[in-house]
Structure formats: structure tokens, C-alpha cells
Amino acid sequence: QKEVEQNSGPLSVPEGAIASLNCTYSDRGSQSFFWYRQYSGKSPELIMFIYSNGDKEDGRFTAQLNKASQYVSLLIRDSQPSDSATYLCAVGGSGAGSYQLTFGKGTKLSVIP
Amino acid sequence: DAGVIQSPRHEVTEMGQEVTLRCKPISGHNSLFWYRQTMMRGLELLIYFNNNVPIDDSGMPEDRFSAKMPNASFSTLKIQPSEPRDSAVYFCASSLSGGRDIQYFGAGTRLSVL
């Protein structure tokens, strides 16, 4: 059974601070990793994806991947109240099952003005 | 560009009734996914289609659930008969060609079975 673990939160950070969201996964063969943002009552929206070890930056967002430790993280710099949402970590399957995303249950982020 | 389109947005039905959820994937995408989201279990893959063919239906909970994709621009998820424990948000997603491609989600259908 593939597992993706996230702290459920809530994670509260002041406006302008860095929010750090973490995720661990069980399938060592996984090759693709995604962060989705989900506002209450809305659908998941892709924020970042990463395939290789290291960091990947896009604007205020940085995804970090460490396959040896089976660990993925998302940093949000200069956090804004509009970043308040649930962040879902999704991990793709290995080999022919790469299409199969296993989602964590999400971390709820609250950015305090 | 239009994203993934789902209908209806909300469905309230009584136990035992048939429910049909509909999805139109993004034009040009050849992979389609149906997910179910609940507080207890989170977001779970129900079924995956590639080029209109069901590839993986291992997540379909039981025989009461069925899904079809008669053409590249339309898919249905049917529950017959519905039960209260089927109450959840059902999402459809599509991607360009499956594999590691990004999956784009529709707005979802919130189903309540009374």
C-alpha cells in the first residue's frame, strides 16, 4: 500500500513569513512529485511539480526533493493571506504505474495578516 | 481555454437511486481520471482511461460503480444503486498523455445521498 504522509496542520504563519510544508512517501520507485493547492470547496490546482533531486523555484514557491530520504517539501516565501488553503502532496507511481497519483491528506495553511 | 468540465456541480439524491456524473476533458488530452474525495480517506483514484480505454479500475469500490468513456470528449461515472456512504466530492481530471504528465482537475461534483 503506497502511502503519502503530511502533517494535517493547521500551520499558521504571519504574513510575509516563509511557510514550509513537508511530505514523505513510501514508494521508493516514485519518479514524479506534485504540490496542489485546494481552497475550501474548490478543486485541486497545481502549484509545482518536480522530478529530480534538488530544488525547483517558481516565483514565491520552491519545491525540494530528496529521493534518498523519500521526502518532498514546498516553501512559500513572502506568504500572503491568499495563500491560506490546504496543500496536497501527490506522488506518482513507479514504472508503468507512473500515472497513478497517491495523495496525502493535505496540510492546512493559515497566513495571518 | 476551457478546463475540465464536470456536471452537475451538486447532486442530492435518495438512497437506491441511480446517479450519473459527467466529465468533458481538456481538448487534446488523451488521459482521463475519476477521483473521489472524502474527509476520512482524502483523494482517491477510482479509474483511469487512456485513449478512451479503461486501463486501471482497481480503485472502483464495488460493482455499484461503473464508468464509461464513449469518445475522447466525454466520460460518465455511474452509481447504481446509490448509498449514503457514497456521499463525497467526485473529481474528474485529465492529462496530456498519462504517465508523469500533470493532471488538471475539474470543479467537482458534490454528491449527497440521503
Side-chain angles (χ1 to χ4, degrees):
Chain A
Q1 181 77 1
K2 299 171 188 174
E3 293 182 350
V4 175
E5 299 288 341
Q6 298 181 252
N7 287 328
S8 61
L11 173 66
S12 294
V13 299
E15 184 175 354
I18 295 175
S20 178
L21 305 166
N22 305 314
C23 169
T24 59
Y25 60 95
S26 64
D27 185 356
R28 190 169 283 278
S30 295
Q31 297 294 322
S32 55
F33 308 86
F34 305 85
W35 284 99
Y36 284 84
R37 178 177 63 196
Q38 188 173 26
Y39 292 113
S40 180
K42 302 296 185 182
S43 60
E45 172 194 12
L46 182 77
I47 298 298
M48 292 284 292
F49 65 93
I50 186 166
Y51 298 150
S52 303
N53 273 333
D55 296 359
K56 179 181 179 183
E57 186 175 318
D58 183 2
R60 297 186 296 112
F61 299 96
T62 298
Q64 299 174 317
L65 174 62
N66 184 327
K67 290 184 180 179
S69 300
Q70 295 174 247
Y71 177 89
V72 192
S73 65
L74 178 70
L75 301 179
I76 306 174
R77 289 181 299 281
D78 188 24
S79 296
Q80 300 297 308
S82 58
D83 295 326
S84 298
T86 296
Y87 289 79
L88 303 172
C89 173
V91 177
S94 52
S98 59
Y99 62 87
Q100 189 175 54
L101 292 185
T102 300
F103 284 82
K105 291 189 177 177
T107 297
K108 186 171 184 178
L109 173 66
S110 179
V111 180
I112 312 300
Chain B
D1 288 342
V4 177
I5 299 172
Q6 291 186 246
S7 65
R9 292 294 312 277
H10 302 275
E11 177 80 34
V12 180
T13 191
E14 292 187 347
M15 183 174 61
Q17 297 298 305
E18 177 178 296
V19 175
T20 300
L21 311 181
R22 298 172 175 80
C23 176
K24 176 180 170 57
I26 294 171
S27 178
H29 283 192
N30 69 9
S31 292
L32 183 138
F33 307 80
W34 282 101
Y35 288 88
R36 178 171 67 178
Q37 187 174 37
T38 61
M39 289 293 291
M40 286 296 295
R41 299 175 66 89
L43 201 57
E44 301 175 291
L45 176 65
L46 299 178
I47 188 167
Y48 161 54
F49 289 89
N50 186 266
N51 290 322
N52 313 336
V53 176
I55 302 299
D56 181 358
D57 65 356
S58 60
M60 296 286 264
E62 49 197 275
D63 291 346
R64 296 185 299 106
F65 285 69
S66 63
K68 294 182 180 180
M69 191 165 186
N71 57 61
S73 59
F74 184 67
S75 176
T76 59
L77 177 68
K78 186 176 293 187
I79 308 172
Q80 166 64 18
S82 58
E83 296 183 2
R85 60 194 169 116
D86 301 330
S87 297
V89 181
Y90 291 81
F91 289 105
C92 176
S94 72
S95 72
L96 195 59
S97 60
R100 304 193 307 175
D101 287 346
I102 296 166
Q103 295 182 23
Y104 297 90
F105 283 75
T109 296
R110 182 173 296 276
L111 173 64
S112 297
V113 183
L114 306 177

